[in-house]
Amino acid sequence: MAETGDFRASFSYSGQGSKVGGFDPHGPAYPILYSIPSLFGISETLKIPLTNWILFLFSVLVLIWKSDLRIAKWAQVLLMLGSPFTLFYGMNLMPELLHLAIAIGIYLGIRAFINQDGFRNLIWVLVCIGLGGFFRDTWFFAYLILGLFLFERNPKLSVLLMVLGLVLPYLSQTLFHESVPNVFSDCINHLKAGNWTEALGELAYNAKRNIYFIFTYSEGLYYWVWKIWILITMVLGVIFFKKSEAIQLGFGFLVLQVIFSIVLYKTYQWTEWRMLSPIALLVNLQLMEKSNRSFLPALGLVFSLASFIGILPFQKKLVSLRENQDLQSLSTELISEISRLENALIRIDPMLLEQYDWAALPIRNESGQLIRYLLPYYSQKEAYSTHSLTEANGQLMIRSVKILNQ
């Protein structure tokens, strides 16, 4: 966006983009946020991790500032900084530190609302959840739990929030995100076709598969510890449920997210555990504050730190792989040829994705227009590309699709 002025991403799974705006699968929020550092001349390689760390550390400083409980406060800070989630995702270009900052913001807002019951504090919670949903749709589900919580105090607002909690995730996903094949999208397609039996069968099979793999499969030792940590968090949420309304809210967020993850997503993979972790950390923050010196909430901190230790060798391996990539460079002739194309949508041969340094591809042509690339994704229905990037005789070639068809 910073270089082309276009919200659409250069790289697309289908080349079609979202129904509104033509955004990629991640939606409009990320290009808006990560284009801001470019205005200050921050380099391309630094702007994403630097933005994530600034927002996360700022939220931790606010957490320290707003907390009066000395022991609980430093335990909370240790939990956030010592989480394997923080280390793992703080070392790459994924936005998970941003979601930790959102979790801290929601925690502080709930804390202030429960203690002071002020309308301004409720607005803060609503805004934090809304901002979170702008970056990841699943945050919108928190409106549903918040609506249930507020039912006796304000029935009309409660009903509105519950409706938003159900409608916003669907609208955001279908309108502002490029579609990718998953259980959620498959079920929507079945329902649109009137195949209710197939849709329910798909959900049942996915839930059964997730439950089986949760207890039998993991992608590393630290993931086992991480799973145990989330399980302990849920158990502690039940034990301390009546201690605080804040814990009730946070626990409700987590349970709802777990249900949706098991039913609609592939929860046995790392991709979905990262969606659960910010909310689990939110619940742990609440437990540490309201534990009344009980040692039980310390179990969450112990297992989080144990997983942190377990992730260190894995993180070292990832850094080594990143530093020792053996990628082939793109020729200046190829880059120059692509830069002269007009209104190009270039399909990249998936067999070549791990061989070349694709970061060198131009994202705008000589006229400053956006150049788009199609990265085939499973059985995704693709838009008609204008060109194909393939390999012939050991070198990359850009070919017009019209010529290939002829």
Side-chain angles (χ1 to χ4, degrees):
M1 177 184 171
E3 294 191 31
T4 65
D6 197 314
F7 280 100
R8 295 176 300 166
S10 293
F11 291 89
S12 170
Y13 289 138
S14 68
Q16 301 183 68
S18 62
K19 293 179 182 178
V20 178
F23 308 121
D24 77 347
H26 300 94
Y30 293 113
I32 293 174
L33 176 65
Y34 294 131
S35 66
I36 294 175
S38 299
L39 301 177
F40 301 95
I42 297 175
S43 69
E44 192 74 20
T45 54
L46 281 178
K47 66 181 181 182
I48 292 180
L50 189 62
T51 302
N52 292 338
W53 275 107
I54 288 174
L55 292 173
F56 171 64
L57 292 178
F58 176 77
S59 69
V60 172
L61 290 175
V62 175
L63 177 66
I64 296 172
W65 174 44
K66 289 291 186 179
S67 180
D68 300 323
L69 304 171
R70 182 175 299 177
I71 296 178
K73 172 171 64 178
W74 295 114
Q76 289 173 333
V77 172
L78 182 60
L79 175 72
M80 300 305 292
L81 296 180
S83 166
F85 191 84
T86 303
L87 174 68
F88 186 59
Y89 293 110
M91 299 287 284
N92 60 37
L93 301 180
M94 297 185 72
E96 305 313 312
L97 293 188
L98 170 63
H99 291 282
L100 291 186
I102 292 169
I104 292 176
I106 294 174
Y107 160 72
L108 292 173
I110 290 175
R111 181 173 175 264
F113 175 67
I114 297 299
N115 293 338
Q116 302 171 20
D117 197 22
F119 183 73
R120 184 177 65 178
N121 295 321
L122 177 60
I123 292 298
W124 173 259
V125 176
L126 296 177
V127 169
C128 285
I129 294 173
L131 282 175
F134 193 48
F135 286 95
R136 179 172 291 157
D137 299 330
T138 52
W139 281 111
F140 284 131
F141 291 133
Y143 282 141
L144 180 61
I145 299 299
L146 189 60
L148 291 171
F149 177 78
L150 294 173
F151 189 78
E152 293 185 1
R153 304 186 191 189
N154 193 327
K156 291 182 180 179
L157 176 61
S158 174
V159 172
L160 174 62
L161 289 175
M162 286 189 284
V163 171
L164 289 176
L166 292 172
V167 172
L168 286 180
Y170 172 77
L171 290 179
S172 179
Q173 185 66 236
T174 54
L175 295 179
F176 299 102
H177 297 259
E178 181 179 82
S179 177
V180 294
N182 54 37
V183 177
F184 181 70
S185 59
D186 288 345
C187 286
I188 290 177
N189 292 332
H190 284 311
L191 292 175
K192 287 180 177 179
N195 300 324
W196 291 81
T197 304
E198 287 81 354
L200 292 174
E202 183 98 14
L203 295 177
Y205 172 76
N206 187 65
K208 180 176 67 174
R209 179 181 59 179
N210 279 331
I211 293 172
Y212 172 79
F213 279 110
I214 284 173
F215 293 101
T216 60
Y217 170 77
S218 187
E219 294 173 295
L221 176 61
Y222 66 93
Y223 270 115
W224 280 116
V225 183
W226 207 340
K227 288 182 182 182
I228 294 172
W229 168 69
I230 291 180
L231 177 61
I232 288 176
T233 299
M234 297 186 68
V235 171
L236 291 175
V238 173
I239 294 174
F240 291 94
F241 189 77
K242 295 184 178 180
K243 289 282 186 180
S244 163
E245 290 180 322
I247 293 177
Q248 293 171 16
L249 267 176
F251 180 69
F253 294 166
L254 180 59
V255 169
L256 185 64
Q257 182 65 69
V258 168
I259 292 173
F260 275 99
S261 296
I262 289 177
V263 174
L264 293 175
Y265 299 99
K266 296 179 181 179
T267 309
Y268 56 87
Q269 293 183 332
W270 65 272
T271 48
E272 309 314 331
W273 286 110
R274 68 187 172 91
M275 294 169 62
L276 293 173
S277 295
I279 303 178
L281 283 165
L282 185 155
V283 175
N284 275 271
L285 291 175
Q286 295 165 331
L287 288 168
M288 288 179 175
E289 179 186 351
K290 300 295 183 180
S291 60
N292 294 329
R293 297 186 178 183
S294 170
F295 73 94
L296 287 176
L299 288 174
L301 180 58
V302 169
F303 272 85
S304 180
L305 293 176
S307 188
F308 180 90
I309 295 172
I311 207 172
L312 290 176
F314 180 70
Q315 189 73 44
K316 182 180 179 181
K317 179 181 178 181
L318 289 180
V319 172
S320 175
L321 290 173
R322 188 182 304 164
E323 290 178 345
N324 297 306
Q325 293 185 81
D326 186 19
L327 299 175
Q328 299 181 51
S329 300
L330 304 182
S331 67
T332 55
E333 291 81 6
L334 177 68
I335 294 175
S336 178
E337 185 178 357
I338 293 175
S339 298
R340 291 193 295 269
L341 299 176
E342 296 284 337
N343 300 317
L345 174 59
I346 303 170
R347 187 183 193 274
I348 300 177
D349 187 339
M351 299 297 292
L352 307 176
L353 291 179
E354 297 183 4
Q355 300 177 30
Y356 289 90
D357 182 14
W358 301 113
L361 283 172
I363 65 170
R364 56 181 177 176
N365 63 13
E366 294 176 347
S367 303
Q369 295 176 329
L370 176 68
I371 300 174
R372 305 190 70 210
Y373 300 92
L374 197 159
L375 307 179
Y377 185 81
Y378 295 116
S379 58
Q380 185 82 341
K381 183 179 179 181
E382 300 176 10
Y384 290 108
S385 54
T386 61
H387 295 79
S388 177
L389 196 55
T390 58
E391 189 179 54
N393 300 322
Q395 67 180 55
L396 286 176
M397 299 184 65
I398 184 79
R399 295 181 176 179
S400 171
V401 172
K402 292 181 180 179
I403 295 176
L404 290 176
N405 289 338
Q406 291 174 359

